[in-house]
Amino acid sequence: MTSRSPITVGIVGLGLIGGSMARSFAAAGHSVLASDALPATLSRAIADGVVRDGLTEKTVAHCDLLLLAVYPQAAIEALRRFAPYISQNAVVLDLCGTKRDVCRACFEIAAEAGFTFVGGHPMAGTQFSGYENSRVGLFEGAPMVLVLPPDADPSLRARVETLLAPIGFGSFAVTSAEAHDRVIAFTSQLAHVVSNAYVKSPMAQIHHGFSAGSYRDLTRVAWLNEKMWCELFLENRDFLSEEIGHIITALSAYKTALDKNDAKTLEALLREGRLAKEAADKNGDDIS
């Protein structure tokens, strides 16, 4: 199979991620079947010409690729529902923001049913959610993280990359579910917590006219889907709590220096942060 060969893609969930996947596959000439908790969303996607038909126990058998673009527990439930009907030649990929729970359950389901499951996390998105905000090219040039099954054939990574070629990912990294969740607690989840907490300052409601790029950058992801992020945070609570502990310790040091009017310590703390950023940028962000 090449990336240009037409395939049938099934997508569970037509939110920002699933909807953007659907649009990109459809734009590349592939056939998309989909399901969504909201019938109106599926109807709109069909009317838009993005989705050809609904994804059901009957039609899922035709899928070469099945994408689970819903919350982790919903992804597990969807795979249990469809497992008896999925072709053994198909690849199933979840697109969830945490990997340990979903991979543990879905690897087992796939092994019992005889098809291939791969954990996945597309590293792109916006602060807005829903099908109405989905678009072709959302993942263009973005990294894609994969968690392969323990007994994966060496050719599986290449097969997955071929199936996902129409999406236009810029790179692929392979890691373990645990390593993914540990890193993502810092690179994504902590950033959302900090941003969400930052705008709880009373000053957030009266700052207008006194803010620029720094404020916009730091508060962008405070505008989040609280239901989804609550589930992701709780599933990754051990690693996320550890990261929150690190930042509380760091912030406490800055506060103490300020309260003591300690310029020497404050300058040292600021220097440490600058040097840490320089070192982090030199090390890169590949977790493979």
Side-chain angles (χ1 to χ4, degrees):
M1 177 186 294
T2 69
S3 60
R4 296 181 181 178
S5 303
I7 63 173
T8 298
V9 182
I11 301 179
V12 178
L14 288 171
L16 175 69
I17 301 300
S20 296
M21 287 281 182
R23 291 182 187 276
S24 295
F25 274 112
H30 301 285
S31 180
V32 178
L33 308 174
S35 65
D36 192 86
L38 299 176
T41 298
L42 177 59
S43 297
R44 178 177 173 182
I46 292 174
D48 289 344
V50 172
V51 172
R52 177 171 62 84
D53 202 353
L55 181 70
T56 65
E57 287 89 343
K58 183 176 180 179
T59 61
V60 74
H62 303 297
C63 295
D64 302 291
L65 175 66
L66 177 62
L67 302 175
L68 307 176
V70 288
Y71 304 166
Q73 291 306 312
I76 295 169
E77 292 169 8
L79 191 59
R80 285 200 180 105
R81 170 191 167 196
F82 286 122
Y85 313 99
I86 296 172
S87 168
Q88 294 195 353
N89 295 319
V91 171
V92 179
L93 192 75
D94 86 281
L95 305 176
C96 301
T98 54
K99 298 267 69 78
R100 283 178 292 174
D101 286 357
V102 73
C103 284
R104 186 182 303 112
C106 292
F107 282 146
E108 182 178 336
I109 294 169
E112 291 177 356
F115 56 82
T116 300
F117 172 83
V118 174
H121 187 183
M123 303 303 296
T126 73
Q127 66 269 42
F128 305 110
S129 60
Y131 176 78
E132 62 272 16
N133 292 302
S134 64
R135 59 181 174 83
V136 173
L138 177 65
F139 308 105
E140 192 74 32
M144 178 64 172
V145 179
L146 302 176
V147 178
L148 303 180
D151 57 349
D153 185 279
S155 65
L156 180 57
R157 173 175 177 166
R159 184 183 176 196
V160 172
E161 290 185 16
T162 296
L163 288 167
L164 294 176
I167 304 301
F169 287 112
S171 64
F172 288 84
V174 175
T175 188
S176 68
E178 181 168 354
H180 169 277
D181 286 359
R182 179 177 289 279
V183 173
I184 219 70
F186 170 72
T187 60
S188 176
Q189 294 184 340
L190 180 63
H192 283 77
V193 169
V194 170
S195 182
N196 197 263
Y198 176 79
V199 295
K200 291 179 180 178
S201 166
M203 193 59 64
Q205 305 306 318
I206 59 175
H207 76 275
H208 304 290
F210 292 83
S211 60
S214 297
Y215 173 83
R216 289 192 296 271
D217 291 345
L218 187 53
T219 61
R220 181 180 67 83
V221 294
W223 195 341
L224 48 69
N225 179 329
E226 58 269 19
K227 182 177 180 181
M228 179 187 76
W229 284 101
C230 179
E231 181 173 331
L232 293 175
F233 288 167
L234 289 176
E235 290 200 358
N236 208 30
R237 59 190 177 275
D238 50 351
F239 291 146
L240 179 55
S241 179
E242 181 180 346
E243 290 299 334
I244 292 174
H246 291 325
I247 199 166
I248 288 174
T249 298
L251 289 173
S252 295
Y254 291 102
K255 186 177 187 305
T256 298
L258 289 167
D259 291 344
K260 292 183 177 181
N261 195 28
D262 185 348
K264 182 178 180 180
T265 298
L266 181 58
E267 185 176 337
L269 291 170
L270 294 170
R271 183 183 303 108
E272 288 173 4
R274 174 175 59 79
L275 294 176
K277 169 62 174 172
E278 291 177 2
D281 288 350
K282 289 179 181 177
N283 290 334
D285 59 2
D286 187 2
I287 64 171
S288 60

